[in-house]
Amino acid sequence: MTMMSDVKPALALATLTYGGPASKWRTEAMRSHATPRLIHITKGQGRITVAGLTNGYGPNNLIFIPAETIYGLEVGPTVFGQIMTLPSITDWPDHPFHLRLRDVAPQKELQGYIEAIERELQPGGDDRAAACHLGLLSIFVERQLQTRDPASIDQRRNSAAGKLVARYAAMIARDFAADRSVADFAAALDVTPTHLTRVCQQTCGRSALKLLNERIHYEACMLLRDTQEQVQDIARRLGFRSAAYFTRSFQEKSGQTPSDFRRTGGAGTRI
């Protein structure tokens, strides 16, 4: 069964800005996509959670989200950036990275590649030229990764806690709609639910249940906004045993019933 996050769009570029409280789900709720995302922050500060690990971000940060990797980020009123949807077939890594570009030269070089891609994605542009600029951008990133200071790499990703949460996050991305409880996931990971929750709190400040519920909520929002499926059908797709339970759960998280959310259009554009 295809979910909204399973759709594989072509190369695209969208603006990342503060959308107000009603649009927080668009950025903060855990989500994953069938294709990678590249986030370029040019202004402001916040926090981003990728595969269960939370870090701060600031200007001139470049963050890569591989396909089928859950993530969510705080976007405050001062934040401005861009999020690039990458095609399915790319030369990008299969693991997340977070580059903090501190020198002016690479900052300008990066901005030049992104602006060139943006121009070619406009009416009158050429998709082939956009793909060429994307190739140059991937080479730029590869060189930055090769020369970055090892001390700048977050070693928590290689810790026992980081590896466990990354495995849990990967399972959520794959099976969030399978009506599995945290206890089910913990058993599959050969740990107790208490330990899994403790580790999630340690790495990203969220419980194991909150990570799971946020991923489900994001998918619910996308299905309500971008399809005409009946609420009861969406509830069934997402593993809820009744439409009434789905409605109560959705309203607790969003402050709106599913029908009201659909009527207001989700208060924002898709990213």
Side-chain angles (χ1 to χ4, degrees):
M1 183 178 295
T2 300
M3 294 289 182
M4 292 305 299
S5 52
D6 292 330
V7 177
K8 296 184 177 182
L11 177 64
L13 195 60
T15 300
L16 184 64
T17 58
Y18 180 67
S23 293
K24 289 178 68 174
W25 70 272
R26 294 176 51 236
T27 54
E28 292 190 15
M30 293 294 108
R31 82 287 316 277
S32 57
H33 306 292
T35 56
R37 297 296 190 270
L38 187 67
I39 300 172
H40 179 215
I41 303 297
T42 57
K43 179 183 176 184
Q45 297 178 330
R47 297 192 305 170
I48 183 167
T49 300
V50 180
L53 194 65
T54 299
N55 279 295
Y57 68 78
N60 302 305
N61 281 200
L62 191 65
I63 304 159
F64 176 68
I65 316 292
E68 307 300 349
T69 300
I70 66 169
Y71 73 99
L73 68 161
E74 299 173 3
V75 178
T78 65
V79 171
F80 184 85
Q82 291 171 299
I83 181 164
M84 187 180 298
T85 299
L86 300 177
S88 300
I89 302 174
T90 66
D91 297 325
W92 297 79
D94 58 2
H95 54 82
F97 64 72
H98 188 149
L99 287 172
R100 304 174 191 273
L101 303 178
R102 306 189 186 283
D103 296 331
V104 173
Q107 291 173 7
K108 289 184 176 180
E109 186 175 354
L110 171 61
Q111 189 62 43
Y113 292 131
I114 293 178
E115 288 176 354
I117 292 170
E118 185 174 24
R119 283 195 301 272
E120 297 301 338
L121 293 177
Q122 300 298 317
D126 193 309
D127 290 343
R128 296 170 300 171
C132 289
H133 290 302
L134 179 61
L136 292 173
L137 175 58
S138 71
I139 294 171
F140 166 82
V141 167
E142 183 177 332
R143 289 172 174 168
Q144 291 299 315
L145 290 173
Q146 290 172 347
T147 59
R148 67 175 168 174
D149 183 353
S152 68
I153 301 173
D154 191 341
Q155 296 302 324
R156 293 179 301 163
R157 186 69 68 190
N158 296 319
S159 68
K163 290 178 179 178
L164 175 59
V165 173
R167 289 172 61 202
Y168 175 54
M171 292 175 71
I172 291 175
R174 185 181 66 244
D175 298 329
F176 67 89
D179 191 21
R180 299 178 70 183
S181 67
V182 169
D184 294 329
F185 284 110
L189 292 166
D190 199 24
V191 297
T192 66
T194 300
H195 179 66
L196 181 59
T197 287
R198 184 187 308 117
V199 169
C200 290
Q201 289 283 8
Q202 175 186 336
T203 61
C204 66
R206 292 171 168 87
S207 69
L209 180 60
K210 186 173 178 62
L211 279 173
L212 174 59
N213 284 344
E214 283 191 6
R215 180 63 188 92
I216 295 170
H217 181 67
Y218 179 80
E219 196 71 30
C221 290
M222 297 298 294
L223 289 167
L224 286 166
R225 197 188 67 179
D226 295 345
T227 77
Q228 296 301 314
E229 284 193 55
Q230 296 296 314
V231 170
Q232 60 265 31
D233 294 332
I234 292 174
R236 190 180 307 112
R237 287 182 65 171
L238 296 178
F240 289 87
R241 297 177 185 179
S242 73
Y245 178 47
F246 169 67
T247 296
R248 287 196 302 272
S249 176
F250 188 90
Q251 191 164 10
E252 286 175 3
K253 293 178 178 63
S254 68
Q256 293 179 295
T257 66
S259 297
D260 288 341
F261 180 90
R262 171 169 277 168
R263 190 159 44 247
T264 60
T269 57
R270 180 178 181 176
I271 64 169

